[in-house]
Amino acid sequence: MDLVPALEEPLQQPLKSVLGPATAKVMAEHLGLHTVGDLLHHYPRRYEERGQLTHLADLPMDEHVTVVAQVADARLHSFASAKAPRGKGQRLEVTITDGSGRLQLVFFGSGVHKPHKDLLPGTRAMFAGKVSVFNRRLQLAHPAYELLRADAAESVETWAGALIPLYPATAKLESWKIGKAIQTVLPHAQEAIDPLPDSLRAGRGLVSLPEALLKIHRPHTKADIDDARARLKWDEAFVLQVALARRRHADAQLPAVPRVPAADGLLTAFDARLPFTLTEGQRKVSGEIFDDLATDHPMHRLLQGEVGSGKTLVALRAMLAVVDAGGQAALLAPTEVLAQQHHRSVVEMMGELAEGGMLGGSERATKVVVLTGSMGTAARRQALLDLVTGEAGIVIGTHALIEDKVKFHDLGLVVVDEQHRFGVEQRDALRSKGKQPPHLLVMTATPIPRTVAMTVFGDLETSVLDQLPAGRSPIASHVVPAADKPHFLARAWERVREEVDNGHQAYVVCPRIGDEEDGKGGRAGKKSAEDEAEKRPPLAVLDIAGRLAEGPLRGLGVEVLHGRMPPDDKDAVMRRFAAGDTDVLVATTVIEVGVNVPNATAMVIMDADRFGVSQLHQLRGRVGRGSAAGLCLLVSEMPEASAARQRLNAVASTLDGFELSRIDLEQRREGDVLGQAQSGARSSLRVLAVIEDEEVIAQAREEAARLVAADPELTTLPGLRTALDALLDEEREQYLEKG
């Protein structure tokens, strides 16, 4: 591992620190930078040209910013205060400009003397501080600043060249201090061992790693920055793809039992029962899955598709093919509501084919059992017995399937629904229950752009269902601006009543249950509409259900459903709703995936701005599942110009989940997508943008596959092995599997 001693050197050491101990401590605690190598890979966020001024007009509120601007004027005021009753208090107001706007800086008390001397009109400097509002004007109070004197030797030295790098910084460490620290360690860049094979680098015309590090931190021209970024993007894409290619290669070496369905077995009988024909997409994807199941190494396939595209049916046909071939199949669902729902719909679709061993069951039938944590002892014991004897060909369950007590007769296929809800340990625990590794089919109902699939699920082959089955109705979506136009919200409840009067049902979704402690209100003194909407606690199921039942939906059958209800109560509520006994179901996101009630045609999502784009698309997919058209109303109090409303407008404007997932990704950035927000580690992607760099990712995947096929252990590439260890520590590598 320690191939690059200079880059592995800690920034803070007991005897000889590379940087001052205080600086090194802040870097470790606030930026996650511990070694010289970490610091060299802390790249500038953007660059300012010495002659160019930044956009003061676009400053974000409440954020710590660094701006490069020129002093327009500076005025010293005296005032009386409790501390200086005789009018001896001093306040320095400095106005800076950048051509696009002006910004006020303010300094108080004894802190005015140095800036009063330094910040003369015409002086250019970098200023860093937190943007606030005073008297309806943006200001920075007591900003840190660094003068940019073109004639000073030190300034020329420090900000070598015409471009000033601005680094991701914190309130405790300004961008230029990070820049100075990086200049201190920059000579070590020469010792960086290059992870890219020479042939790849030469073939793609990429600069060496030491040169890229020098150019990104000390560029002389914009071309230097482009060269460095092109090279560093390749590092990130290639190292990631090599990790995934090695996993695919290792999986391909494992033995598995080929599962070929009987010519005239359970699958044939099931297909004959279907009251509709499969879509072309379903047939194609089923063909890909059956080809994989017939091989002697484990299938690893991701099945993704639009909400309602019929993924469950495709998965069920794969499960029946395995049962036909003498094996068993397990479907792992993230919640009890979803496990029960899957069990009901599978038994319904299979009819007598799900009554194996029962009177009246078909001779080709199998048994379909459900296994959840809250089952009664007798039912649980029977389910476990059916699994170990092989009586049950199909089991549908939650995490309860993973427990040690659960034994299978011959587990041939694991289907994981909603992959992002499960950790790698859970997936592996279920797979280890097979005598040989079972085949694996991962389903996700959140459509993922191709590049994300290649980056996050790169160890899985991908199948996409992008057609909706015949008979699915369109869903009309509208934003309801509750604060701007309260009568729109009143009309939304009228629309719900109209749907119920027409014999249909509706969902009302809230972000919160309402039996927990209310969050404390927002900070005082900020009263914009956006603040008001954001700072109050999210609307809650228990509050809204009561208000609706006594108010606009009086006389209708209103019930609630949320995750903290006892499982039997949840199941009973879902059964009554599915049977049409309940008119309106007020629920949390427990209904987000898999819930299938074709008679439910309307959905009102309260505080819709509190949900992500993909989640809104998922929720919306619960309506319009029958022959009647669906309606989804996105209720929000956010003002029209806010980013949250733009996001809701995007959801309302398209039903294309792949397009929405791109919008979602562009807004959230990749750090979240690759899970670093969840895992607590910093994103390993610093210059690679998953959506923008589609071509680089695709090319890196091809190169990685070629390389790993020729040299799976990377014996000839020690630099690449080091980069793999550094970029993909165990936590991140596992995250790639979790997706």
Side-chain angles (χ1 to χ4, degrees):
M1 170 70 195
D2 200 17
L3 289 172
V4 196
L7 299 197
E8 292 299 322
E9 195 177 339
L11 295 172
Q12 191 175 11
Q13 299 173 70
L15 298 173
K16 179 181 81 65
S17 286
V18 175
L19 305 173
T23 305
K25 188 167 185 275
V26 173
M27 283 188 172
E29 288 175 5
H30 294 272
L31 295 169
L33 305 174
H34 301 279
T35 66
V36 170
D38 289 344
L39 186 51
L40 286 174
H41 287 293
H42 186 71
Y43 307 134
R45 178 181 284 145
R46 59 193 172 88
Y47 300 84
E48 288 300 345
E49 289 180 68
R50 191 159 270 134
Q52 180 192 35
L53 298 164
T54 59
H55 284 283
L56 294 181
D58 304 332
L59 290 182
M61 273 296 299
D62 269 350
E63 277 193 29
H64 201 82
V65 298
T66 301
V67 297
V68 176
Q70 188 165 314
V71 176
D73 69 40
R75 296 180 187 184
L76 195 60
H77 301 273
S78 298
F79 62 92
S81 69
K83 285 184 182 170
R86 293 201 206 117
K88 294 208 173 158
Q90 289 195 305
R91 181 175 77 248
L92 175 66
E93 289 177 3
V94 178
T95 305
I96 58 172
T97 180
D98 68 346
S100 77
R102 296 165 87 81
L103 178 67
Q104 186 154 303
L105 317 178
V106 60
F107 302 86
F108 292 103
S110 57
V112 303
H113 304 306
K114 188 171 187 312
H116 190 217
K117 198 170 66 193
D118 289 342
L119 301 177
L120 303 172
T123 305
R124 185 170 284 124
M126 287 200 284
F127 303 92
K130 197 172 187 183
V131 183
S132 58
V133 170
F134 182 71
N135 278 347
R136 307 181 93 172
R137 288 168 65 193
L138 292 182
Q139 72 167 26
L140 298 182
H142 280 286
Y145 61 88
E146 175 88 351
L147 301 181
L148 297 174
R149 292 195 184 92
D151 56 336
E154 191 221 349
S155 177
V156 174
E157 180 87 293
T158 311
W159 315 109
L163 293 158
I164 303 165
L166 294 184
Y167 290 91
T170 76
K172 292 189 182 299
L173 197 65
E174 293 88 6
S175 167
W176 56 84
K177 288 184 181 166
I178 295 170
K180 284 179 176 174
I182 287 172
Q183 295 302 326
T184 305
V185 300
L186 202 51
H188 290 305
Q190 296 299 345
E191 297 166 59
I193 293 184
D194 206 317
L196 295 191
D198 291 344
S199 55
L200 187 157
R201 203 156 51 76
R204 303 264 168 201
L206 300 169
V207 300
S208 69
L209 180 57
E211 189 180 339
L213 291 171
L214 283 170
K215 283 184 167 178
I216 200 140
H217 291 300
R218 196 185 274 171
H220 293 284
T221 62
K222 287 184 176 170
D224 283 352
I225 300 169
D226 293 342
D227 286 351
R229 288 179 66 81
R231 162 59 213 246
L232 295 166
K233 280 180 182 187
W234 256 93
D235 280 19
E236 289 177 5
F238 185 67
V239 171
L240 208 49
Q241 293 301 338
V242 167
L244 294 166
R246 289 180 81 191
R247 177 162 300 113
R248 286 196 302 276
H249 184 271
D251 287 338
Q253 310 310 306
L254 294 171
V257 178
R259 309 283 177 172
V260 181
D264 194 21
L266 190 56
L267 179 61
T268 310
F270 173 75
D271 284 349
R273 277 184 54 87
L274 287 175
F276 51 80
T277 54
L278 299 176
T279 66
E280 191 184 328
Q282 286 172 320
R283 278 200 299 275
K284 174 175 162 286
V285 168
S286 288
E288 292 169 352
I289 291 170
F290 293 153
D291 287 349
D292 283 359
L293 290 173
T295 62
D296 56 8
H297 56 83
M299 168 172 80
H300 282 83
R301 189 165 282 279
L302 171 69
L303 170 58
Q304 63 156 327
E306 275 295 4
V307 178
S309 58
K311 291 180 296 295
T312 310
L313 177 61
V314 168
L316 177 55
R317 293 185 76 236
M319 290 157 79
L320 294 174
V322 169
V323 175
D324 252 356
Q328 291 168 293
L331 170 59
L332 185 59
T335 65
E336 294 209 352
V337 168
L338 194 48
Q340 297 284 5
Q341 173 88 25
H342 274 318
H343 182 249
R344 271 200 296 279
S345 61
V346 164
V347 167
E348 207 175 288
M349 281 195 276
M350 288 176 65
E352 77 246 14
L353 298 176
E355 296 170 358
M358 296 185 224
L359 217 57
S362 158
E363 61 186 51
R364 283 176 293 199
T366 188
K367 203 167 182 181
V368 180
V369 299
V370 67
L371 189 67
T372 63
S374 64
M375 283 170 78
T377 312
R380 187 180 177 77
R381 193 178 295 127
Q382 185 59 53
L384 292 171
L385 187 64
D386 289 340
L387 288 178
V388 77
T389 58
E391 185 84 9
I394 294 175
V395 59
I396 297 165
T398 55
H399 297 76
L401 281 176
I402 294 164
E403 291 168 12
D404 291 344
K405 281 183 237 159
V406 181
K407 302 276 189 281
F408 288 85
H409 176 65
D410 179 16
L411 180 61
L413 171 66
V414 173
V415 180
V416 179
D417 193 14
E418 282 312 293
Q419 161 75 350
H420 63 278
R421 310 278 187 96
F422 294 101
V424 64
E425 304 81 6
Q426 295 158 324
R427 192 167 105 178
D428 283 351
L430 189 50
R431 279 169 60 190
S432 68
K433 291 181 180 292
K435 293 186 177 81
Q436 283 191 305
H439 299 281
L440 176 73
L441 181 65
V442 168
M443 294 199 293
T444 175
T446 306
I448 308 166
R450 173 173 163 266
T451 39
V452 182
M454 280 195 300
T455 308
V456 183
F457 293 103
D459 60 333
L460 303 174
E461 297 300 323
T462 304
S463 294
V464 177
L465 278 172
D466 47 12
Q467 288 172 280
L468 291 186
R472 290 302 298 268
S473 302
I475 304 169
S477 304
H478 304 283
V479 178
V480 177
D484 309 350
K485 298 176 180 168
H487 59 287
F488 276 37
L489 184 57
R491 175 68 188 128
W493 302 126
E494 285 172 20
R495 283 292 289 113
V496 170
R497 290 197 85 98
E498 287 165 15
E499 290 298 312
V500 174
D501 290 345
N502 288 331
H504 298 304
Q505 293 158 279
Y507 298 100
V508 176
V509 181
C510 303
R512 202 165 57 98
I513 296 172
D515 55 0
E516 61 281 281
E517 285 286 309
D518 272 4
K520 298 287 176 271
R523 289 159 295 197
K526 302 184 70 185
K527 296 292 179 197
S528 75
E530 196 160 343
D531 286 328
E532 290 293 299
E534 265 190 343
K535 296 299 181 282
R536 67 161 171 72
L539 294 172
V541 165
L542 299 177
D543 302 339
I544 293 290
R547 274 192 246 164
L548 292 176
E550 290 164 19
L553 303 185
R554 189 185 294 112
L556 302 186
V558 177
E559 287 209 63
V560 301
L561 179 71
H562 59 75
R564 280 211 287 274
M565 289 166 64
D568 289 351
D569 293 1
K570 279 192 277 199
D571 202 36
V573 168
M574 271 317 297
R575 280 176 188 277
R576 286 195 291 275
F577 191 65
D581 300 338
T582 305
D583 298 320
V584 179
L585 187 63
V586 183
T588 56
T589 55
V590 290
I591 61 152
E592 181 185 341
V593 284
V595 173
N596 184 22
V597 180
N599 193 45
T601 54
M603 176 177 284
V604 181
I605 303 178
M606 307 302 291
D607 276 347
D609 48 271
R610 309 280 180 127
F611 300 99
V613 168
S614 297
Q615 201 172 24
L616 290 170
H617 184 57
Q618 276 293 355
L619 286 164
R620 170 171 62 184
R622 301 304 108 212
V623 296
R625 299 180 79 83
S627 53
L631 172 69
C632 179
L633 301 174
L634 306 166
V635 179
S636 172
E637 292 186 2
M638 297 302 271
E640 195 165 357
S642 64
R645 275 282 288 280
Q646 305 303 313
R647 206 167 64 235
L648 296 183
N649 291 341
V651 174
S653 69
T654 179
L655 290 172
D656 181 341
F658 288 90
E659 177 56 31
L660 285 174
S661 68
R662 287 182 81 94
I663 292 168
D664 195 21
L665 182 60
E666 280 160 3
Q667 290 183 338
R668 287 191 303 150
R669 300 301 297 152
E670 312 50 55
D672 298 7
V673 175
L674 292 187
Q676 309 314 333
Q678 292 91 323
S679 74
R682 289 177 306 114
S683 170
S684 58
L685 297 193
R686 297 186 182 91
V687 285
L688 189 73
V690 170
I691 288 287
E692 292 162 29
D693 297 319
E694 199 156 349
E695 209 175 307
V696 174
I697 291 167
Q699 291 170 354
R701 182 175 171 136
E702 281 171 30
E703 294 273 12
R706 236 191 327 269
L707 180 88
V708 170
D711 180 9
E713 295 306 311
L714 312 179
T715 46
T716 58
L717 294 165
L720 179 54
R721 283 211 311 276
T722 304
L724 269 175
D725 291 340
L727 268 181
L728 298 169
D729 54 30
E730 194 178 345
E731 185 179 32
R732 279 202 189 106
E733 195 148 4
Q734 287 192 348
Y735 194 81
L736 293 178
E737 277 205 12
K738 292 179 193 176

